[in-house]
Amino acid sequence: MSTAPPHSEPLLEIVDLVSEFTTDHGPLKAVDGVSLTVTRGGTLGIVGESGCGKSVLAMSIMGLLPDPPGRIRRGVIRFDGQDLRKLEPVELRRMRGNRIAMIFQEPMSSLNPVYTVGQQITEAMRLHQRLSAQQARKKAIELLQRVGIPAAETRIDAYPYELSGGMRQRVMIAMAISCEPDLLIADEPTTALDVTIQAQILQLLANLQEERGMSIIMITHDLGVIAEFVDEVLVMYAGKAVERSKTVDLFETPQHPYTRGLLASVPRDVRRTSAGRVRLPTIEGVVPDLRDLKEGCRFRDRCPDAMARCAESEPPFEEITPGRWAACYYPGQPDPNQARPAAGAGE
Amino acid sequence: MSTPLLSVRDLSTHFPVRKGLFGRGTQVVRAVDGITFELPHGETLGLVGESGCGKSTLGRTVLRLLSPTSGHIEFEGTDITHMPQADLRPLRRRMQIVFQDPFGSLNPRMTVRAAIGEAMRIHRLASGPEDERKRVAALMERVGLRPDTMERYPHEFSGGQRQRIGIARALAVEPKLIVADEPVSALDVSIQAQIVNLLMDLQDDLGIGFLFIAHDLKVVEHVSHRVAVMYLGRIVELASSEALVGDPKHPYTRALLAAVPEARPRAKREKRRLLTGDVPSPIAPPPGCPFHPRCPIAEPDRCAREVPRLRALADGRQVACHLADEGHASDA
C-alpha cells in the first residue's frame, strides 16, 4: 500500500507469458500471453473467475507448475533484473521462499499436519538464512507475535489441527515473511475465512507491507478485497489479461465489458423498490472451453456489445489511455446513442 | 393472524462431545441455544454469522435433519418437534434443503434425470416414467438447464449448472420451505448473481419461503426480507434487511458489517474498527453476554454477568444487547 517512486524499475516484469497443460484433448493454454509489472513496494491485484488462469500465473512465477502436464511455453519472467526462466533449479529454489514467497487459500492443506508450527516456520529460515536452531526458534516466536498470534511462546509447539482457520493463515503468513521476501504472492489468502478474520488478515498484510516495503500480488475473485487492498488491477478472462488499470479508474470507468459485467453483478447498495427486491445484473452464459476456442474475442458470446469485428480476430491487449490497458475493440462505456451494426457474433 | 410457514420457539440443539483421551466425562456444544423466530409464507429470512455460530445447525434442526434438544418447531401450524420420522415423511415433501457444494450433494453415478426424478418417485408424484420425464424436463427448463442434457452425469456440468440441478431437485416435490445453506458460496460472482436471481424468481412465482444461510452479508441482504445475525448459537439481532444494514444496533452486527470489504475503492483506507480474536468455543461460552469479550462497548459488570435477552426495539427489530438504544427499548 506504500507508494513507490513512479518511475523506478519494476520489481517483477512479465512479458507475453504462455503456460500450457497437456490434456487428452490437446494442449490447453491456461495462461495465454499475459504481460504485467509489479512496482517495488506496490500491490497488484489479479481478479477473475475460476479457470481464468490467475493461479496458474502465480505458479508459473514461482516455478511451481507441475511438469508434466504443465509447462511454460514462452515468455519472460524478469524479477529484479533476472529472468527466472533462465535460472538453474538450485538458483530458483534459493529465490523461492527467500525473495519470493507465496501464501495459499487453504492453510490446512499447505501446512504439514505432522510437524509443529515452529518446525515448519524455522525450516525455511534455517535453509535460507543459516540460523542455529535456537536463533530460528526465537525468530519464529517473534514472527508469530508479529502476525498476531496470542501466546506465541506456547503456540509455536502446536500442531496445525490445534489452530483455528484464521490462526493457520497467520502461521502461513509468518512462514512467508520469515525470510523477508521482496515479493509476496497471495493466492486467495482470505477466501476460506470469515469476514472478520479476513479484515484482520488484510490489515496485517498492509501493515507488514508498509514496514518492509514488500511488493504484493493479491489474487482474488473478491472485488471488495481488490477495492480495499490494491493499487492496480489486472482482470483476467479465459487465460487472457483483458484489462489493467489503477483500482479507482477500474471501478469508476471500466473499459472492458467483462469488467463491467463483473462489477455490476456484485450486490451492493441496491435501491429497493416498494415492490421488493431487484434482480442482479448477470453475465449470461459460461466461460468458453479453452481447448475449443473459436476465432475472435473470447468474451464475445457473453458480451452485450459484441459486433461483427469481434468474431473476426482477437482484440489485442493495448494501452488505450496512459496507464490503462484493455483487450477490446470498443473499450469504454457503451454509448447508447451510437448506431451500431447488428452483432455478428454469439447467439 | 395467519399461520406462519415456520415458527420456532426457544429452540436448542446441543451436541455431547467426549472429553479427554478416554472419553470420560462429556461436555456439551451449545450449537443452537434458545432461538425464536417466525418465517411467513413466501418470505426469505437470512441467517448470517461467522463459522461455528450455529446457522447451519439451526437450518438442519428446523427440517428435523438433526434432533432438537429443547424448544418447539411448528411447520404450517403442525408441531414437528418430536414427530416420528415415519410421520414426518409426508411433510418432507414440503420442506427441502439446497446445499453449498453442488458436487458433493449429487450422486456422481446418477444421471441428472435420475437425481431430479428420485424424490418424485419416493413421493409418487409422477404417474409413470413418461410423466416423470416430462416433469424433469419442465423443472430443468424452469431452473435454466437444457432438458436435452438430462441423461448426463453431474461431472459434465459446471458449478453453476450443478447448483441449478440441486435446486431443480429440491423443487421436484413442490416444497413450501427451502433451507438454502450457503447456496452460492462456492460459485463465481457472475454465476452467483444468476443463482440469486433464480431463487428470487422461484419465490415470486411459487411462493416458497426461504431460510437463506450464508456468510456473505451482501448476498444475504440482497435476497432476504429479514435477516437474523447469529453469534455462538443465539440470535443477537433480527431486523428487516434495510434496517439491519442501514442502521445496525448490535455491536456485533456493526462489526460484521464493518469487516465486509466494499467494492468501492473510494471508501478504503480509513481505519476500520476491526474485531479482534476468534469466536469463543461454544463448549464454554463466556458468561453474561456471549459477545462481551470482543465487544468494543461492553460494560465490565453488567455485560459480563447478565445474559441479554432478545427484545424488541421501537422500530420492531429485535436485539439482544443491554446497551443497544437504551431508553427506546421495551421488553419483548
Side-chain angles (χ1 to χ4, degrees), chain A residues 1 49-50 164 194-200 203 224 227-228 230 251-252 267-270 272 277-280 282-283 302, chain B residues 50-51 188 190 194 197 200-201 203 218 221-223 242 261-266 268-269 271-272 274-278:
Chain A
M1 317 254 290
E49 300 181 277
S50 345
S164 68
D194 282 313
V195 279
T196 53
I197 310 298
Q198 164 171 287
Q200 293 172 12
Q203 189 67 56
E228 296 216 355
V230 313
F251 279 81
E252 283 182 354
R268 54 182 160 165
D269 295 344
V270 184
R272 249 166 260 255
R277 301 153 303 176
V278 181
R279 291 173 61 90
L280 287 171
T282 60
I283 305 174
R302 304 176 76 188
Chain B
E50 292 170 275
S51 11
D188 279 316
S190 71
Q194 295 174 6
N197 287 342
M200 295 199 302
D201 289 347
Q203 180 164 58
K218 290 281 169 192
E221 180 210 351
H222 189 86
V223 302
E242 292 88 345
E262 286 282 333
R264 192 190 300 121
R266 291 280 184 216
K268 73 173 175 178
R269 310 274 149 107
K271 276 265 177 184
R272 289 177 298 170
L274 297 181
L275 273 187
T276 52
D278 289 334

Short mmCIF file of all heavy atoms in Angstrom, two decimals, chain A residues 1 49-50 164 194-200 203 224 227-228 230 251-252 267-270 272 277-280 282-283 302, chain B residues 50-51 188 190 194 197 200-201 203 218 221-223 242 261-266 268-269 271-272 274-278:
data_model
loop_
_atom_site.label_atom_id
_atom_site.label_comp_id
_atom_site.label_asym_id
_atom_site.label_seq_id
_atom_site.Cartn_x
_atom_site.Cartn_y
_atom_site.Cartn_z
N MET A 1 0.83 -1.19 0.00
CA MET A 1 0.00 0.00 0.00
C MET A 1 0.87 1.26 0.00
O MET A 1 0.38 2.34 -0.22
CB MET A 1 -0.91 0.05 1.23
CG MET A 1 -1.56 -1.24 1.57
SD MET A 1 -3.28 -1.31 1.16
CE MET A 1 -4.02 -0.22 2.32
N GLU A 49 -12.51 -15.08 -12.58
CA GLU A 49 -13.29 -16.19 -12.05
C GLU A 49 -12.54 -17.50 -12.22
O GLU A 49 -11.47 -17.55 -12.82
CB GLU A 49 -14.64 -16.23 -12.77
CG GLU A 49 -15.40 -14.94 -12.54
CD GLU A 49 -16.75 -14.95 -13.23
OE1 GLU A 49 -16.82 -14.66 -14.43
OE2 GLU A 49 -17.71 -15.27 -12.57
N SER A 50 -13.10 -18.58 -11.67
CA SER A 50 -12.42 -19.88 -11.76
C SER A 50 -12.04 -20.18 -13.19
O SER A 50 -12.82 -19.95 -14.10
CB SER A 50 -13.31 -21.02 -11.26
OG SER A 50 -14.40 -20.58 -10.54
N SER A 164 -7.19 -22.51 14.83
CA SER A 164 -8.35 -22.17 14.01
C SER A 164 -7.89 -21.77 12.60
O SER A 164 -6.69 -21.57 12.36
CB SER A 164 -9.09 -20.99 14.65
OG SER A 164 -8.30 -19.83 14.56
N ASP A 194 -13.74 -16.21 7.61
CA ASP A 194 -14.87 -15.32 7.89
C ASP A 194 -14.48 -13.87 7.63
O ASP A 194 -13.30 -13.51 7.73
CB ASP A 194 -15.29 -15.46 9.35
CG ASP A 194 -16.11 -16.71 9.57
OD1 ASP A 194 -17.04 -16.95 8.78
OD2 ASP A 194 -15.82 -17.45 10.51
N VAL A 195 -15.47 -13.03 7.35
CA VAL A 195 -15.16 -11.63 7.03
C VAL A 195 -14.38 -10.92 8.12
O VAL A 195 -13.50 -10.11 7.84
CB VAL A 195 -16.41 -10.77 6.72
CG1 VAL A 195 -16.85 -10.98 5.30
CG2 VAL A 195 -17.52 -10.96 7.70
N THR A 196 -14.70 -11.21 9.37
CA THR A 196 -13.99 -10.51 10.45
C THR A 196 -12.51 -10.90 10.46
O THR A 196 -11.64 -10.06 10.65
CB THR A 196 -14.61 -10.87 11.81
OG1 THR A 196 -14.65 -12.28 11.95
CG2 THR A 196 -16.02 -10.33 11.93
N ILE A 197 -12.26 -12.18 10.23
CA ILE A 197 -10.87 -12.65 10.20
C ILE A 197 -10.19 -12.16 8.92
O ILE A 197 -9.02 -11.76 8.92
CB ILE A 197 -10.81 -14.20 10.27
CG1 ILE A 197 -11.68 -14.72 11.43
CG2 ILE A 197 -9.39 -14.69 10.39
CD1 ILE A 197 -11.25 -14.26 12.81
N GLN A 198 -10.94 -12.13 7.83
CA GLN A 198 -10.40 -11.61 6.57
C GLN A 198 -9.92 -10.17 6.75
O GLN A 198 -8.82 -9.81 6.31
CB GLN A 198 -11.49 -11.65 5.50
CG GLN A 198 -11.17 -10.78 4.28
CD GLN A 198 -12.15 -11.00 3.15
OE1 GLN A 198 -12.13 -12.02 2.48
NE2 GLN A 198 -13.01 -10.04 2.93
N ALA A 199 -10.72 -9.37 7.43
CA ALA A 199 -10.34 -7.98 7.64
C ALA A 199 -9.06 -7.89 8.45
O ALA A 199 -8.18 -7.07 8.16
CB ALA A 199 -11.48 -7.23 8.34
N GLN A 200 -8.93 -8.76 9.46
CA GLN A 200 -7.70 -8.75 10.26
C GLN A 200 -6.48 -9.13 9.42
O GLN A 200 -5.42 -8.52 9.53
CB GLN A 200 -7.81 -9.76 11.42
CG GLN A 200 -8.84 -9.41 12.48
CD GLN A 200 -9.03 -10.56 13.48
OE1 GLN A 200 -8.26 -11.51 13.52
NE2 GLN A 200 -10.07 -10.46 14.30
N GLN A 203 -5.50 -6.37 7.00
CA GLN A 203 -4.85 -5.29 7.76
C GLN A 203 -3.41 -5.67 8.08
O GLN A 203 -2.49 -4.86 7.94
CB GLN A 203 -5.64 -5.04 9.05
CG GLN A 203 -5.21 -3.82 9.82
CD GLN A 203 -5.53 -2.55 9.06
OE1 GLN A 203 -6.66 -2.31 8.70
NE2 GLN A 203 -4.51 -1.75 8.79
N GLY A 224 -14.39 -6.71 -3.55
CA GLY A 224 -14.26 -5.90 -2.34
C GLY A 224 -12.82 -5.88 -1.85
O GLY A 224 -12.28 -4.83 -1.48
N ALA A 227 -10.86 -3.65 -4.15
CA ALA A 227 -11.12 -2.23 -3.94
C ALA A 227 -10.41 -1.71 -2.70
O ALA A 227 -9.90 -0.59 -2.67
CB ALA A 227 -12.62 -1.98 -3.82
N GLU A 228 -10.35 -2.53 -1.66
CA GLU A 228 -9.79 -2.04 -0.41
C GLU A 228 -8.29 -2.19 -0.33
O GLU A 228 -7.64 -1.51 0.44
CB GLU A 228 -10.43 -2.78 0.76
CG GLU A 228 -11.90 -2.50 0.84
CD GLU A 228 -12.42 -2.41 2.26
OE1 GLU A 228 -11.64 -2.64 3.19
OE2 GLU A 228 -13.60 -2.09 2.41
N VAL A 230 -5.73 -3.08 -3.10
CA VAL A 230 -4.69 -2.98 -4.13
C VAL A 230 -4.68 -1.63 -4.84
O VAL A 230 -5.67 -0.92 -4.87
CB VAL A 230 -4.78 -4.12 -5.17
CG1 VAL A 230 -4.94 -5.47 -4.50
CG2 VAL A 230 -5.91 -3.90 -6.15
N PHE A 251 -12.85 0.79 -11.17
CA PHE A 251 -14.20 0.78 -10.61
C PHE A 251 -15.06 1.91 -11.16
O PHE A 251 -16.27 1.76 -11.28
CB PHE A 251 -14.14 0.86 -9.08
CG PHE A 251 -13.85 -0.47 -8.43
CD1 PHE A 251 -12.56 -0.95 -8.34
CD2 PHE A 251 -14.88 -1.24 -7.93
CE1 PHE A 251 -12.28 -2.18 -7.76
CE2 PHE A 251 -14.63 -2.48 -7.34
CZ PHE A 251 -13.32 -2.94 -7.26
N GLU A 252 -14.44 3.04 -11.47
CA GLU A 252 -15.24 4.17 -11.94
C GLU A 252 -15.57 4.10 -13.42
O GLU A 252 -16.69 4.40 -13.82
CB GLU A 252 -14.52 5.49 -11.61
CG GLU A 252 -14.69 5.81 -10.14
CD GLU A 252 -14.04 7.12 -9.74
OE1 GLU A 252 -13.37 7.73 -10.60
OE2 GLU A 252 -14.23 7.50 -8.57
N PRO A 267 -23.67 -7.66 -5.48
CA PRO A 267 -24.75 -6.95 -4.81
C PRO A 267 -24.22 -5.85 -3.90
O PRO A 267 -23.34 -6.09 -3.10
CB PRO A 267 -25.45 -8.05 -3.99
CG PRO A 267 -24.53 -9.19 -3.93
CD PRO A 267 -23.52 -9.04 -5.02
N ARG A 268 -24.68 -4.65 -4.09
CA ARG A 268 -24.29 -3.56 -3.17
C ARG A 268 -25.27 -2.41 -3.31
O ARG A 268 -25.73 -2.10 -4.40
CB ARG A 268 -22.88 -3.07 -3.47
CG ARG A 268 -22.73 -2.68 -4.91
CD ARG A 268 -21.34 -2.24 -5.25
NE ARG A 268 -21.20 -2.36 -6.70
CZ ARG A 268 -20.24 -1.81 -7.39
NH1 ARG A 268 -19.32 -1.13 -6.79
NH2 ARG A 268 -20.20 -1.95 -8.69
N ASP A 269 -25.56 -1.80 -2.21
CA ASP A 269 -26.42 -0.62 -2.16
C ASP A 269 -27.59 -0.71 -3.12
O ASP A 269 -27.82 0.20 -3.91
CB ASP A 269 -25.62 0.64 -2.52
CG ASP A 269 -24.57 0.92 -1.47
OD1 ASP A 269 -24.67 0.33 -0.39
OD2 ASP A 269 -23.66 1.70 -1.76
N VAL A 270 -28.28 -1.82 -3.07
CA VAL A 270 -29.38 -1.98 -4.00
C VAL A 270 -30.53 -1.09 -3.57
O VAL A 270 -30.96 -1.13 -2.42
CB VAL A 270 -29.85 -3.44 -4.02
CG1 VAL A 270 -30.92 -3.63 -5.06
CG2 VAL A 270 -28.68 -4.34 -4.30
N ARG A 272 -34.07 -0.53 -3.19
CA ARG A 272 -35.21 -1.39 -3.21
C ARG A 272 -36.44 -0.61 -3.62
O ARG A 272 -36.67 0.48 -3.12
CB ARG A 272 -35.43 -1.96 -1.82
CG ARG A 272 -35.14 -3.42 -1.74
CD ARG A 272 -35.05 -3.77 -0.29
NE ARG A 272 -33.64 -3.84 0.05
CZ ARG A 272 -33.03 -4.99 0.23
NH1 ARG A 272 -33.69 -6.11 0.10
NH2 ARG A 272 -31.77 -5.03 0.53
N ARG A 277 -37.50 -6.69 -4.08
CA ARG A 277 -36.09 -6.77 -4.39
C ARG A 277 -35.83 -6.60 -5.88
O ARG A 277 -36.69 -6.82 -6.71
CB ARG A 277 -35.57 -8.11 -3.91
CG ARG A 277 -35.75 -8.28 -2.44
CD ARG A 277 -35.86 -9.72 -2.07
NE ARG A 277 -36.92 -10.40 -2.77
CZ ARG A 277 -37.14 -11.69 -2.65
NH1 ARG A 277 -36.34 -12.42 -1.94
NH2 ARG A 277 -38.14 -12.25 -3.29
N VAL A 278 -34.61 -6.29 -6.18
CA VAL A 278 -34.22 -6.03 -7.55
C VAL A 278 -33.34 -7.17 -8.02
O VAL A 278 -32.53 -7.70 -7.26
CB VAL A 278 -33.41 -4.70 -7.59
CG1 VAL A 278 -33.00 -4.38 -9.01
CG2 VAL A 278 -34.22 -3.58 -6.99
N ARG A 279 -33.52 -7.57 -9.26
CA ARG A 279 -32.67 -8.62 -9.80
C ARG A 279 -31.26 -8.10 -10.00
O ARG A 279 -31.06 -6.93 -10.28
CB ARG A 279 -33.21 -9.09 -11.15
CG ARG A 279 -34.52 -9.84 -11.05
CD ARG A 279 -35.06 -10.10 -12.44
NE ARG A 279 -34.12 -10.92 -13.20
CZ ARG A 279 -34.17 -12.25 -13.21
NH1 ARG A 279 -35.08 -12.87 -12.52
NH2 ARG A 279 -33.31 -12.94 -13.91
N LEU A 280 -30.30 -8.98 -9.84
CA LEU A 280 -28.92 -8.58 -10.07
C LEU A 280 -28.62 -8.67 -11.55
O LEU A 280 -29.06 -9.60 -12.22
CB LEU A 280 -27.98 -9.54 -9.33
CG LEU A 280 -27.89 -9.43 -7.82
CD1 LEU A 280 -27.11 -10.59 -7.26
CD2 LEU A 280 -27.22 -8.12 -7.43
N THR A 282 -26.55 -9.84 -14.56
CA THR A 282 -25.68 -11.01 -14.67
C THR A 282 -24.92 -10.98 -15.98
O THR A 282 -25.26 -10.25 -16.90
CB THR A 282 -26.50 -12.32 -14.65
OG1 THR A 282 -27.39 -12.31 -15.76
CG2 THR A 282 -27.29 -12.47 -13.37
N ILE A 283 -23.87 -11.79 -16.01
CA ILE A 283 -23.20 -12.05 -17.29
C ILE A 283 -23.78 -13.36 -17.76
O ILE A 283 -23.57 -14.40 -17.13
CB ILE A 283 -21.68 -12.16 -17.12
CG1 ILE A 283 -21.13 -10.91 -16.42
CG2 ILE A 283 -21.01 -12.38 -18.46
CD1 ILE A 283 -19.66 -11.01 -16.08
N ARG A 302 -20.67 -13.82 -24.65
CA ARG A 302 -21.35 -13.34 -23.45
C ARG A 302 -21.44 -11.82 -23.44
O ARG A 302 -21.96 -11.24 -22.50
CB ARG A 302 -20.59 -13.80 -22.21
CG ARG A 302 -20.41 -15.30 -22.14
CD ARG A 302 -19.56 -15.70 -20.96
NE ARG A 302 -20.31 -15.63 -19.71
CZ ARG A 302 -19.75 -15.78 -18.51
NH1 ARG A 302 -18.46 -15.98 -18.39
NH2 ARG A 302 -20.49 -15.72 -17.42
N GLU B 50 -20.48 -15.85 11.78
CA GLU B 50 -19.20 -16.47 11.46
C GLU B 50 -19.29 -17.99 11.56
O GLU B 50 -20.24 -18.52 12.14
CB GLU B 50 -18.13 -15.95 12.43
CG GLU B 50 -17.82 -14.48 12.24
CD GLU B 50 -16.94 -13.94 13.35
OE1 GLU B 50 -17.48 -13.55 14.40
OE2 GLU B 50 -15.72 -13.91 13.16
N SER B 51 -18.28 -18.68 11.04
CA SER B 51 -18.32 -20.14 11.11
C SER B 51 -18.43 -20.57 12.57
O SER B 51 -17.81 -19.98 13.44
CB SER B 51 -17.10 -20.80 10.48
OG SER B 51 -16.10 -19.89 10.18
N ASP B 188 -18.64 -18.56 -8.69
CA ASP B 188 -18.06 -17.29 -9.10
C ASP B 188 -19.10 -16.19 -9.06
O ASP B 188 -20.30 -16.45 -9.20
CB ASP B 188 -17.53 -17.42 -10.54
CG ASP B 188 -16.18 -18.09 -10.56
OD1 ASP B 188 -15.35 -17.73 -9.72
OD2 ASP B 188 -15.96 -18.96 -11.40
N SER B 190 -20.23 -13.89 -11.10
CA SER B 190 -21.23 -13.71 -12.15
C SER B 190 -22.25 -14.84 -12.11
O SER B 190 -23.42 -14.65 -12.42
CB SER B 190 -20.56 -13.62 -13.52
OG SER B 190 -20.05 -14.87 -13.91
N GLN B 194 -26.59 -15.10 -11.09
CA GLN B 194 -27.60 -15.88 -11.82
C GLN B 194 -28.42 -16.73 -10.85
O GLN B 194 -29.65 -16.80 -10.97
CB GLN B 194 -26.93 -16.81 -12.85
CG GLN B 194 -26.20 -16.09 -13.98
CD GLN B 194 -25.43 -17.06 -14.88
OE1 GLN B 194 -25.52 -18.27 -14.73
NE2 GLN B 194 -24.67 -16.51 -15.81
N ASN B 197 -30.74 -14.62 -8.61
CA ASN B 197 -31.93 -14.22 -9.36
C ASN B 197 -32.92 -15.37 -9.52
O ASN B 197 -34.13 -15.18 -9.38
CB ASN B 197 -31.54 -13.71 -10.76
CG ASN B 197 -30.89 -12.34 -10.70
OD1 ASN B 197 -31.02 -11.63 -9.71
ND2 ASN B 197 -30.19 -11.98 -11.76
N MET B 200 -34.86 -15.90 -6.33
CA MET B 200 -35.86 -14.85 -6.11
C MET B 200 -37.05 -15.03 -7.06
O MET B 200 -38.20 -14.84 -6.66
CB MET B 200 -35.23 -13.47 -6.27
CG MET B 200 -34.18 -13.20 -5.17
SD MET B 200 -33.76 -11.46 -4.93
CE MET B 200 -33.20 -10.99 -6.53
N ASP B 201 -36.77 -15.42 -8.31
CA ASP B 201 -37.87 -15.67 -9.26
C ASP B 201 -38.75 -16.81 -8.79
O ASP B 201 -39.98 -16.74 -8.87
CB ASP B 201 -37.31 -16.03 -10.64
CG ASP B 201 -36.66 -14.84 -11.33
OD1 ASP B 201 -36.87 -13.70 -10.84
OD2 ASP B 201 -35.94 -15.05 -12.31
N GLN B 203 -39.25 -17.79 -5.82
CA GLN B 203 -40.06 -17.35 -4.69
C GLN B 203 -41.28 -16.55 -5.18
O GLN B 203 -42.40 -16.79 -4.74
CB GLN B 203 -39.21 -16.48 -3.77
CG GLN B 203 -39.99 -15.98 -2.58
CD GLN B 203 -39.06 -15.46 -1.52
OE1 GLN B 203 -38.27 -14.55 -1.77
NE2 GLN B 203 -39.12 -16.04 -0.34
N LYS B 218 -23.54 -9.34 1.90
CA LYS B 218 -24.09 -8.58 0.77
C LYS B 218 -25.14 -9.41 0.04
O LYS B 218 -26.18 -8.89 -0.34
CB LYS B 218 -22.96 -8.20 -0.20
CG LYS B 218 -22.03 -7.17 0.36
CD LYS B 218 -22.66 -5.80 0.26
CE LYS B 218 -21.86 -4.80 1.06
NZ LYS B 218 -22.57 -3.53 1.23
N GLU B 221 -28.25 -9.77 2.35
CA GLU B 221 -29.03 -8.54 2.36
C GLU B 221 -29.87 -8.43 1.10
O GLU B 221 -31.03 -8.04 1.12
CB GLU B 221 -28.08 -7.32 2.46
CG GLU B 221 -28.81 -6.00 2.48
CD GLU B 221 -28.00 -4.88 1.88
OE1 GLU B 221 -26.80 -5.07 1.58
OE2 GLU B 221 -28.56 -3.80 1.68
N HIS B 222 -29.24 -8.83 0.00
CA HIS B 222 -29.93 -8.68 -1.28
C HIS B 222 -31.16 -9.57 -1.39
O HIS B 222 -32.20 -9.14 -1.88
CB HIS B 222 -28.96 -8.98 -2.42
CG HIS B 222 -29.52 -8.64 -3.77
ND1 HIS B 222 -29.42 -7.39 -4.30
CD2 HIS B 222 -30.21 -9.38 -4.64
CE1 HIS B 222 -30.04 -7.37 -5.46
NE2 HIS B 222 -30.52 -8.57 -5.71
N VAL B 223 -31.06 -10.81 -0.94
CA VAL B 223 -32.18 -11.74 -1.17
C VAL B 223 -33.20 -11.77 -0.03
O VAL B 223 -34.31 -12.26 -0.23
CB VAL B 223 -31.70 -13.19 -1.41
CG1 VAL B 223 -30.77 -13.27 -2.58
CG2 VAL B 223 -31.04 -13.78 -0.18
N GLU B 242 -33.08 -3.85 5.26
CA GLU B 242 -32.75 -2.42 5.16
C GLU B 242 -32.32 -1.88 6.52
O GLU B 242 -31.31 -1.19 6.63
CB GLU B 242 -33.95 -1.60 4.69
CG GLU B 242 -34.38 -1.85 3.26
CD GLU B 242 -35.37 -3.01 3.15
OE1 GLU B 242 -35.50 -3.78 4.14
OE2 GLU B 242 -36.00 -3.15 2.09
N PRO B 261 -15.47 -6.05 2.97
CA PRO B 261 -14.80 -5.11 2.09
C PRO B 261 -15.78 -4.56 1.06
O PRO B 261 -16.51 -5.30 0.43
CB PRO B 261 -13.70 -5.94 1.43
CG PRO B 261 -14.07 -7.35 1.63
CD PRO B 261 -15.02 -7.42 2.77
N GLU B 262 -15.81 -3.26 0.92
CA GLU B 262 -16.72 -2.61 -0.02
C GLU B 262 -16.12 -2.65 -1.41
O GLU B 262 -14.96 -2.31 -1.59
CB GLU B 262 -16.91 -1.13 0.37
CG GLU B 262 -17.77 -0.90 1.57
CD GLU B 262 -19.25 -1.04 1.25
OE1 GLU B 262 -19.63 -0.80 0.09
OE2 GLU B 262 -20.01 -1.39 2.16
N ALA B 263 -16.93 -3.00 -2.39
CA ALA B 263 -16.45 -2.99 -3.76
C ALA B 263 -16.50 -1.55 -4.29
O ALA B 263 -17.19 -1.24 -5.24
CB ALA B 263 -17.29 -3.93 -4.62
N ARG B 264 -15.79 -0.69 -3.58
CA ARG B 264 -15.81 0.73 -3.93
C ARG B 264 -14.51 1.33 -3.40
O ARG B 264 -14.36 1.50 -2.19
CB ARG B 264 -17.00 1.40 -3.25
CG ARG B 264 -17.28 2.78 -3.75
CD ARG B 264 -18.29 3.50 -2.89
NE ARG B 264 -19.58 2.85 -2.79
CZ ARG B 264 -20.14 2.45 -1.64
NH1 ARG B 264 -19.49 2.60 -0.51
NH2 ARG B 264 -21.33 1.93 -1.63
N PRO B 265 -13.56 1.62 -4.28
CA PRO B 265 -12.22 1.97 -3.79
C PRO B 265 -12.16 3.29 -3.02
O PRO B 265 -11.29 3.47 -2.20
CB PRO B 265 -11.38 2.04 -5.06
CG PRO B 265 -12.33 2.09 -6.18
CD PRO B 265 -13.62 1.54 -5.73
N ARG B 266 -13.09 4.21 -3.23
CA ARG B 266 -13.05 5.48 -2.51
C ARG B 266 -13.18 5.28 -1.00
O ARG B 266 -12.72 6.07 -0.21
CB ARG B 266 -14.20 6.39 -2.97
CG ARG B 266 -14.05 6.89 -4.38
CD ARG B 266 -13.10 8.05 -4.43
NE ARG B 266 -13.04 8.59 -5.79
CZ ARG B 266 -11.92 9.06 -6.31
NH1 ARG B 266 -10.79 9.07 -5.64
NH2 ARG B 266 -11.92 9.55 -7.53
N LYS B 268 -11.96 3.21 0.87
CA LYS B 268 -10.90 2.49 1.57
C LYS B 268 -10.01 3.43 2.38
O LYS B 268 -10.18 4.63 2.38
CB LYS B 268 -10.07 1.72 0.57
CG LYS B 268 -9.16 2.55 -0.29
CD LYS B 268 -8.28 1.61 -1.10
CE LYS B 268 -7.44 2.38 -2.08
NZ LYS B 268 -6.57 1.51 -2.83
N ARG B 269 -9.09 2.80 3.05
CA ARG B 269 -8.00 3.47 3.74
C ARG B 269 -8.38 4.16 5.03
O ARG B 269 -7.52 4.55 5.78
CB ARG B 269 -7.27 4.49 2.83
CG ARG B 269 -6.85 3.94 1.49
CD ARG B 269 -5.50 3.25 1.54
NE ARG B 269 -5.47 2.17 0.57
CZ ARG B 269 -4.79 2.20 -0.57
NH1 ARG B 269 -4.04 3.21 -0.87
NH2 ARG B 269 -4.83 1.18 -1.40
N LYS B 271 -9.23 3.85 8.67
CA LYS B 271 -9.05 2.73 9.59
C LYS B 271 -10.40 2.21 10.02
O LYS B 271 -11.27 2.97 10.46
CB LYS B 271 -8.27 3.18 10.83
CG LYS B 271 -6.78 3.16 10.62
CD LYS B 271 -6.17 1.85 11.11
CE LYS B 271 -4.67 1.87 10.78
NZ LYS B 271 -3.96 0.68 11.09
N ARG B 272 -10.59 0.93 9.84
CA ARG B 272 -11.85 0.37 10.28
C ARG B 272 -11.67 -0.17 11.69
O ARG B 272 -10.59 -0.58 12.07
CB ARG B 272 -12.25 -0.76 9.35
CG ARG B 272 -12.68 -0.23 8.00
CD ARG B 272 -13.01 -1.36 7.08
NE ARG B 272 -11.84 -2.21 6.83
CZ ARG B 272 -11.91 -3.36 6.21
NH1 ARG B 272 -13.06 -3.80 5.80
NH2 ARG B 272 -10.83 -4.06 6.00
N LEU B 274 -11.82 -3.02 13.75
CA LEU B 274 -11.89 -4.44 13.48
C LEU B 274 -12.08 -5.22 14.76
O LEU B 274 -11.56 -4.86 15.80
CB LEU B 274 -10.60 -4.91 12.80
CG LEU B 274 -10.30 -4.30 11.44
CD1 LEU B 274 -9.01 -4.87 10.89
CD2 LEU B 274 -11.44 -4.56 10.48
N LEU B 275 -12.84 -6.29 14.64
CA LEU B 275 -12.96 -7.21 15.76
C LEU B 275 -11.63 -7.89 15.95
O LEU B 275 -10.96 -8.25 14.98
CB LEU B 275 -14.00 -8.28 15.44
CG LEU B 275 -15.45 -8.00 15.74
CD1 LEU B 275 -16.23 -9.27 15.49
CD2 LEU B 275 -15.62 -7.55 17.18
N THR B 276 -11.25 -8.13 17.18
CA THR B 276 -10.03 -8.89 17.41
C THR B 276 -10.42 -10.27 17.91
O THR B 276 -11.51 -10.47 18.43
CB THR B 276 -9.13 -8.19 18.44
OG1 THR B 276 -9.92 -7.91 19.59
CG2 THR B 276 -8.58 -6.89 17.88
N GLY B 277 -9.49 -11.18 17.76
CA GLY B 277 -9.71 -12.52 18.30
C GLY B 277 -10.68 -13.35 17.48
O GLY B 277 -11.26 -12.89 16.51
N ASP B 278 -10.82 -14.60 17.90
CA ASP B 278 -11.72 -15.53 17.24
C ASP B 278 -12.99 -15.67 18.06
O ASP B 278 -13.07 -15.22 19.18
CB ASP B 278 -11.06 -16.91 17.14
CG ASP B 278 -9.93 -16.91 16.12
OD1 ASP B 278 -9.97 -16.08 15.19
OD2 ASP B 278 -9.00 -17.73 16.27
#
